[in-house]
Every structure is written in structure tokens, then in C-alpha cells.
Amino acid sequence: MNATQSLTARTGNLFHRYANPGRFLRMGAKLQPWLTWPALVLSVAGIVWGLFFSPADWQQGDSVRIMYVHVPTAWLASSGYMGLAVCSLLSLVWRHPLADLAAVEIGPVGAAITAVCLATGSLWGKPMWGTWWVWDARLTSVLVLFFLYLGHIALIRAFDEPQRGYRAAAILGLAGAIDLPIIKFSVQWWNTLHQPDSITVTGAPTMSTSMLWPLGLTTLGFTLGFGAIVLARLRASVMESRIRTILAASRGRQSAAQPAPTTDSAPA
Amino acid sequence: MTHLPYIAAAYGLTLGVAAILSINATFRLRQARKRLAAIEQPRTRQPS
């Protein structure tokens, strides 16, 4: 075994330690309230602050308040897909059983959030730009992301044999991740109607702290909320999988216990 | 020009979708937990 194979095996062992359904359900039950309640508190605080206590923009007026829901959903659309791509990698390289179930559950939530991002962007664009939609690089690349989510949802359920669906969707999940840097840098690479990023990792934010605080609260709150919803769906999915396994085993035992038909009773 | 309808629509849509996703996840989890408990209970009662 060479060094690369050894590293892959050791990393796989680390991930598979958390693949046991019973252990995951126990951990998930403990983690759920720590995601759900802070998500609720932070989201409500951020929304109330953003709607009623943050200042209107000197240029955009009150419509800037759409930012407090649009920016978190835009962040979650991309980071949700990043989560999907990580699950795809875990599934393809290490055949992690929970990664496939997580990918199934992230898809619809990510698609719904991306749809909200596009819709709130349109609702912000109409009063500011005078149009609901333009085919600029940022908007178009986010629309492509929405279609990638829809494609993943369709593909993962398209096969009678679930493993084939998981594999095909994982390949799409990984390949589609190329859209994420395009979304991020679209406002720099191309001349877009969409404004450049106001918050960057390296530079100081270009907005007032009175707007930055509620935006930070809603972004953190929505992110925890996304995690809480995906975790709840994943816990339900693991339980449903366990139910199917128990019922299948029970049916197998029943059919094994039934006496085989004798040749006397068989028609000639 | 008032921007209120756009703001109300954006917040309404966001909160509506968040509520639908949350309620759906909660009910699905609750139902799965109930079904699993109902199936596992007779199994645990069986003599070994």
C-alpha cells in the first residue's frame, strides 16, 4: 500500500467512525436543539433589526432591507451546494453511506433556498434596476446553480437501484461545483448589473456597521436553520431506512417460516 | 415610489419557504420516530 492509498484509507476510517446509524441518531438528537433554537433567535433578531431599526440606504431607500434576506439565501445557495459536493466526494471516494442520504436531503432544501434567492433578487431588482431579470453573469450563474440542484434531485431518484442513482448524482454534484467560483467571481470577471461584493475576506466591508450587524445575524441564523432542517431530514431518512430494513428482515423471516408447498397439492 | 410591496413580498416569501421546510422536516422526523418506535417495541419484547 503506497502513501496515497494509506492516507485515503486512514481518512476513510475517520469518516466511517461517524457512519454508524445508531451513533449518528444519538449525536443528531443531541445536536438538533443547539442548531434549531439559536437559528430561531438569531433569525428573528436579525429580521426585526433589519426591518425596523437599521437605517434606509441613501441611494436605495427602504428597498435595501431586502438585503437582510437576499444575501443570506445567496450565501446558503452556494454553501449548500458546496455541502452537496463534499457529500459527493465522500460518496465516490469513501462510499460513505450517510453521505448519500445527506446528498438526498440537501438537494431539495438547497433548491428551495436558491429559488428564494432568485425571487428576492428579482424583487430587489425591479425597484432598483427597473427590471425583474437581466441575463448578467451573476444572475445567470445562480440560475444555473438552481438547475444543478434540480438535476441532482431528479438524477438521485431516477434509478430503480438506489446505488446507481447515488453514484450518478455524486458525479453531477462534483462536476457542478465548477459553478461556485463562477458565481463568486462573476461580478469581477464580467461587467454586471449586479453590484460587486460588499463583504470580502481580505478587505474592510463597504457598508455601515448599522447594516452589517443585522445582516450578520440573519446570515448566521439562516445558516444554522439550514443545518437544523437538513439534520432533521437526515435523521428522519436514517430512521426510515432502518424501518425498511426491519420490515424487509421481518418479511424474510415470515416467508422462511412458511412451509414449502408439497408436490401432492400441485396441479398435474 | 413606495418599495413596501417588494419588501413585504421578499420577506413573506422567505419566511413562508422557511416555515414550509421546517414544518415538513419536523413532521417527517416525528412520523419516522413514531413508526420506528412502534416497529422496534415488539422486537424488544420478543424472548431471546
Side-chain angles (χ1 to χ4, degrees), chain A residues 10 14 32 53 58 93 104 108-109 122 125 140 144 148-149 159 172 178 196-197 209 214-215 224 228 233 239:
Chain A
R10 269 184 290 162
L14 178 74
Q32 191 76 61
F53 300 106
W58 69 277
V93 179
V104 173
V109 183
S122 279
T140 308
V144 168
L148 282 169
Y149 271 120
F159 296 88
L172 175 69
I178 192 69
D197 295 333
T209 45
L215 181 61
L224 292 174
R233 290 174 65 105
M239 287 179 193

Coordinates of all heavy atoms in Angstrom, one line a residue, chain A residues 10 14 32 53 58 93 104 108-109 122 125 140 144 148-149 159 172 178 196-197 209 214-215 224 228 233 239:
Chain A
R10 N -6.9 5.8 5.8 CA -7.0 6.4 7.2 C -8.1 7.5 7.3 O -8.8 7.5 8.2 CB -5.6 7.0 7.6 CG -4.7 6.0 8.3 CD -3.5 6.7 8.8 NE -2.6 7.0 7.7 CZ -1.6 7.9 7.7 NH1 -1.3 8.5 8.8 NH2 -0.9 8.1 6.6
L14 N -11.7 7.5 9.5 CA -12.1 8.6 10.3 C -13.5 9.0 10.0 O -14.4 9.1 10.9 CB -11.2 9.8 10.1 CG -11.5 11.1 10.8 CD1 -11.2 11.0 12.3 CD2 -10.8 12.3 10.2
Q32 N -29.5 18.6 17.5 CA -30.6 19.3 17.0 C -31.1 20.6 17.7 O -31.2 21.7 17.1 CB -31.8 18.3 16.9 CG -33.0 18.8 16.1 CD -32.7 18.8 14.6 OE1 -32.5 17.7 14.0 NE2 -32.8 19.9 13.9
F53 N -35.1 48.7 12.6 CA -34.1 49.5 13.4 C -32.9 49.9 12.5 O -32.1 50.7 13.0 CB -33.7 48.8 14.7 CG -34.8 48.6 15.6 CD1 -35.4 47.3 15.8 CD2 -35.4 49.6 16.3 CE1 -36.5 47.1 16.6 CE2 -36.5 49.4 17.1 CZ -37.0 48.1 17.3
W58 N -29.0 55.6 1.5 CA -29.2 56.9 1.0 C -29.6 56.9 -0.5 O -30.2 57.8 -1.0 CB -27.9 57.8 1.1 CG -26.7 57.3 0.3 CD1 -25.9 56.2 0.6 CD2 -26.3 57.8 -1.0 NE1 -25.0 56.1 -0.4 CE2 -25.2 57.0 -1.4 CE3 -26.8 58.8 -1.8 CZ2 -24.6 57.2 -2.6 CZ3 -26.1 59.0 -3.0 CH2 -25.0 58.2 -3.4
V93 N -15.4 8.6 -3.2 CA -14.1 8.1 -2.8 C -14.2 7.1 -1.7 O -13.6 6.0 -1.7 CB -13.2 9.3 -2.3 CG1 -11.8 8.8 -1.9 CG2 -13.1 10.3 -3.5
V104 N -29.2 13.4 -0.6 CA -30.6 13.3 -1.0 C -31.4 14.4 -0.3 O -32.3 15.1 -0.8 CB -31.2 11.9 -0.6 CG1 -32.7 11.9 -0.8 CG2 -30.6 10.8 -1.4
P108 N -33.2 19.2 -2.1 CA -34.5 19.9 -2.1 C -34.4 21.2 -1.3 O -34.9 22.3 -1.7 CB -35.5 19.0 -1.5 CG -34.9 17.6 -1.7 CD -33.5 17.8 -1.6
V109 N -33.7 21.2 -0.1 CA -33.6 22.4 0.7 C -32.8 23.4 0.0 O -33.1 24.6 -0.1 CB -32.9 22.0 2.1 CG1 -32.9 23.2 3.0 CG2 -33.7 20.9 2.8
S122 N -35.0 39.3 -7.7 CA -35.9 40.0 -8.6 C -36.7 41.1 -8.0 O -36.9 42.1 -8.6 CB -36.8 38.9 -9.2 OG -36.2 38.2 -10.2
G125 N -34.4 43.8 -7.6 CA -34.0 44.4 -8.9 C -35.1 45.3 -9.5 O -34.8 46.3 -10.1
T140 N -27.3 34.8 -14.0 CA -27.4 33.6 -14.8 C -26.7 32.4 -14.2 O -27.2 31.3 -14.2 CB -26.7 33.9 -16.2 OG1 -27.3 35.0 -16.8 CG2 -26.9 32.7 -17.2
V144 N -28.2 28.8 -13.1 CA -27.5 27.5 -13.5 C -27.4 26.7 -12.2 O -27.7 25.5 -12.2 CB -26.2 27.8 -14.1 CG1 -25.4 26.5 -14.2 CG2 -26.3 28.4 -15.5
L148 N -28.8 23.0 -11.5 CA -27.9 21.9 -11.0 C -28.6 21.2 -9.8 O -28.6 20.0 -9.7 CB -26.6 22.5 -10.6 CG -25.6 22.8 -11.7 CD1 -24.4 23.6 -11.2 CD2 -25.1 21.5 -12.4
Y149 N -29.2 22.0 -8.9 CA -29.9 21.4 -7.8 C -31.0 20.5 -8.3 O -31.2 19.3 -7.9 CB -30.5 22.4 -6.9 CG -29.6 22.9 -5.8 CD1 -29.2 24.3 -5.7 CD2 -29.2 22.1 -4.8 CE1 -28.4 24.8 -4.7 CE2 -28.4 22.6 -3.7 CZ -28.0 23.9 -3.7 OH -27.2 24.4 -2.7
F159 N -33.1 6.1 -10.7 CA -32.8 4.7 -10.9 C -33.6 3.8 -10.0 O -33.8 4.1 -8.8 CB -31.3 4.4 -10.8 CG -30.5 5.2 -11.8 CD1 -30.0 6.5 -11.5 CD2 -30.1 4.6 -13.0 CE1 -29.3 7.1 -12.5 CE2 -29.4 5.2 -13.9 CZ -28.9 6.5 -13.7
L172 N -22.5 14.3 -10.8 CA -23.1 15.7 -11.1 C -22.8 16.7 -10.0 O -22.5 17.8 -10.3 CB -24.6 15.5 -11.3 CG -25.4 16.9 -11.6 CD1 -25.0 17.4 -13.0 CD2 -26.9 16.7 -11.5
I178 N -18.1 23.4 -10.2 CA -17.4 24.4 -11.0 C -18.1 25.7 -11.1 O -17.6 26.8 -11.3 CB -17.1 23.8 -12.4 CG1 -16.1 24.7 -13.2 CG2 -18.3 23.7 -13.3 CD1 -14.7 24.7 -12.7
P196 N -20.9 44.6 -7.0 CA -19.8 43.8 -6.5 C -20.0 43.4 -5.0 O -20.9 44.1 -4.4 CB -18.5 44.6 -6.7 CG -18.9 45.9 -7.3 CD -20.4 46.0 -7.4
D197 N -19.3 42.5 -4.5 CA -19.4 42.0 -3.1 C -19.1 43.2 -2.2 O -18.1 43.9 -2.3 CB -18.5 40.9 -2.8 CG -18.8 39.6 -3.6 OD1 -20.0 39.5 -4.0 OD2 -17.9 38.8 -3.9
T209 N -21.8 49.7 9.7 CA -21.9 48.6 10.7 C -23.4 48.5 11.2 O -23.8 47.4 11.6 CB -21.1 48.9 12.0 OG1 -21.2 50.3 12.3 CG2 -19.6 48.6 11.7
P214 N -27.3 43.5 11.6 CA -28.5 42.6 11.3 C -28.2 41.6 10.1 O -28.7 40.5 10.2 CB -29.5 43.7 10.9 CG -28.8 44.9 10.7 CD -27.6 44.9 11.5
L215 N -27.3 42.0 9.2 CA -27.0 41.1 8.1 C -26.3 39.9 8.6 O -26.5 38.8 8.3 CB -26.2 41.8 7.0 CG -25.8 41.0 5.8 CD1 -27.0 40.5 5.1 CD2 -24.9 41.8 4.9
L224 N -27.6 28.4 10.5 CA -28.0 27.4 11.5 C -29.3 26.7 11.2 O -29.5 25.5 11.4 CB -28.0 28.0 12.9 CG -26.6 28.5 13.4 CD1 -26.8 29.3 14.7 CD2 -25.7 27.3 13.6
A228 N -30.2 22.9 10.7 CA -31.2 22.2 11.5 C -32.2 21.5 10.6 O -32.5 20.3 10.9 CB -31.9 23.3 12.4
R233 N -34.1 16.3 8.5 CA -34.5 15.5 7.4 C -33.6 14.3 7.3 O -34.0 13.1 7.0 CB -34.3 16.3 6.1 CG -35.4 17.4 5.9 CD -35.1 18.2 4.7 NE -35.2 17.4 3.5 CZ -36.2 17.5 2.6 NH1 -37.2 18.3 2.8 NH2 -36.2 16.7 1.5
M239 N -33.9 7.0 10.0 CA -34.9 6.2 10.7 C -35.8 5.4 9.7 O -36.1 4.3 9.9 CB -35.8 7.1 11.5 CG -35.2 7.6 12.8 SD -36.3 8.7 13.7 CE -35.2 9.5 14.8

